[in-house]
Amino acid sequence: MTNIKDRKRFKLIPEMGGALARNYARQRGTEPQIELWRQQARELTADLTEGAKILEVAFGPGYFAVELARLGFSVTGLDVAPAFVGIASDYARTQGVDVEFREGDVAAMPFDDESFDFVVCQAAFKNFVWPVKSLDEMYRVLRPGGTAVVQDMNRDATDGDIVREVAGMRLGKLAALTIRQTLGRLRRRAYTPVDFSGLVAETAFRTGEVTTAGIGLDVRLTRP
C-alpha cells in the first residue's frame, strides 16, 4: 500500500465566515434538523458512562454539541472557523447549556494527550487538508478504550440516494434543490469505504469499522 501519511489534500472549500456562516446556521437550525441531532446524540452516547468527556471536531453552528451536553456529558468543540465559535457559543448560552467552543486545527489540536473519552466528527472530514494527521490527532487525544466516530458522505452514494436524503429533510422546493446540488458537489470530495479504510491503515488506529447507509459513511475507531 502506498504510504499516504503526509499527503496533503487541496483545500477547495474555504472556512465559513460572517454572513456565509450565519446563513449556514439558519439552514441547519430547522426543527427537523435539531430533532435529528437530538436523536443522534442519544444513539451515539448510549454506551458512554455518566460524565464522559466528549470532543466534537468541526462543530459548525454547535447544534449537535449542545444536544450532547444536554445529556449530561462534558462537551468541548473545536472548529477552524472563528465565526462558528461565536455562533455556537451564543447558541449554547441561549439554550442554557455549558459547552466549551474553541478555535483550532484538527491536524494540530490544542489538547493534552488522552483528554477525551469520545471524539465525533460529522459532515466535515472530507474537507480536512491533512486527513491522516487528523485521525492521528484524534487517536492522541483519546483515552485508552475511547472511540472516535467519523460520519460523512459516501463517495459511492448515487443521485437517487441524495434525492431520498434531501426529501427526508422536509425542506421547501428551492431549499431542497440547493441542498441536492450542494451534496452533489461535496460528494466529489468524499471518501469511499475502501478509501477511508486505506487512510485508517496509515494511522495509529490501524483498523476500524466502516459502514454505509444512504448517502452516509460511518467510521468507528477505538484506541486500544
Side-chain angles (χ1 to χ4, degrees):
M1 179 184 296
T2 301
N3 190 298
I4 56 177
K5 192 175 185 64
D6 294 319
R7 183 180 298 171
K8 181 179 180 180
R9 303 187 87 208
F10 289 107
K11 189 169 186 61
L12 301 179
I13 302 175
E15 289 87 6
M16 290 191 182
L20 186 62
R22 291 191 294 273
N23 183 58
Y24 179 81
R26 284 193 296 270
Q27 290 179 344
R28 303 295 283 174
T30 64
E31 185 52 40
Q33 287 288 294
I34 297 296
E35 179 54 38
L36 178 60
W37 274 307
R38 190 172 295 134
Q39 177 182 342
Q40 289 178 339
R42 291 193 297 265
E43 292 173 352
L44 279 180
T45 61
D47 296 329
L48 290 183
T49 58
E50 183 177 355
K53 296 188 67 175
I54 297 176
L55 170 65
E56 184 184 8
V57 173
F59 54 79
Y63 302 134
F64 186 58
V66 165
E67 295 306 322
L68 291 169
R70 287 192 206 278
L71 298 175
F73 299 107
S74 173
V75 181
T76 301
L78 184 73
D79 200 294
V80 72
F84 277 140
V85 175
I87 290 171
S89 297
D90 290 343
Y91 177 69
R93 280 194 295 271
T94 64
Q95 297 298 304
V97 175
D98 183 22
V99 181
E100 180 187 9
F101 292 110
R102 297 180 60 174
E103 179 185 351
D105 187 350
V106 62
M109 291 198 263
F111 305 116
D112 293 335
D113 295 353
E114 302 181 8
S115 294
F116 300 97
D117 302 293
F118 189 79
V119 176
V120 60
C121 176
Q122 291 189 320
F125 192 90
K126 60 185 167 294
N127 299 321
F128 290 171
V129 177
W130 298 102
V132 175
K133 288 182 179 180
S134 298
L135 290 175
D136 272 334
E137 276 292 271
M138 293 181 193
Y139 183 97
R140 181 183 66 79
V141 302
L142 272 175
R143 292 169 177 164
T147 298
V149 175
V150 178
Q151 296 176 323
D152 211 320
M153 283 197 74
N154 174 14
R155 190 182 180 95
D156 288 339
T158 66
D159 291 341
D161 291 331
I162 291 176
V163 169
R164 286 186 288 273
E165 180 76 14
V166 175
M169 297 179 184
R170 291 179 281 175
L171 303 170
K173 289 184 178 180
L174 181 58
L177 175 61
T178 300
I179 294 298
R180 286 197 299 270
Q181 292 173 338
T182 300
L183 290 176
R185 290 193 297 271
L186 291 175
R187 178 177 53 186
R188 294 195 290 268
R189 284 188 63 77
Y191 296 92
T192 68
V194 172
D195 290 338
F196 212 107
S197 294
L199 290 178
V200 174
E202 296 294 336
T203 72
F205 287 109
R206 299 302 180 198
T207 62
E209 180 183 0
V210 182
T211 58
T212 63
I215 69 169
L217 190 71
D218 186 286
V219 183
R220 308 292 170 114
L221 306 167
T222 300
R223 175 169 179 170

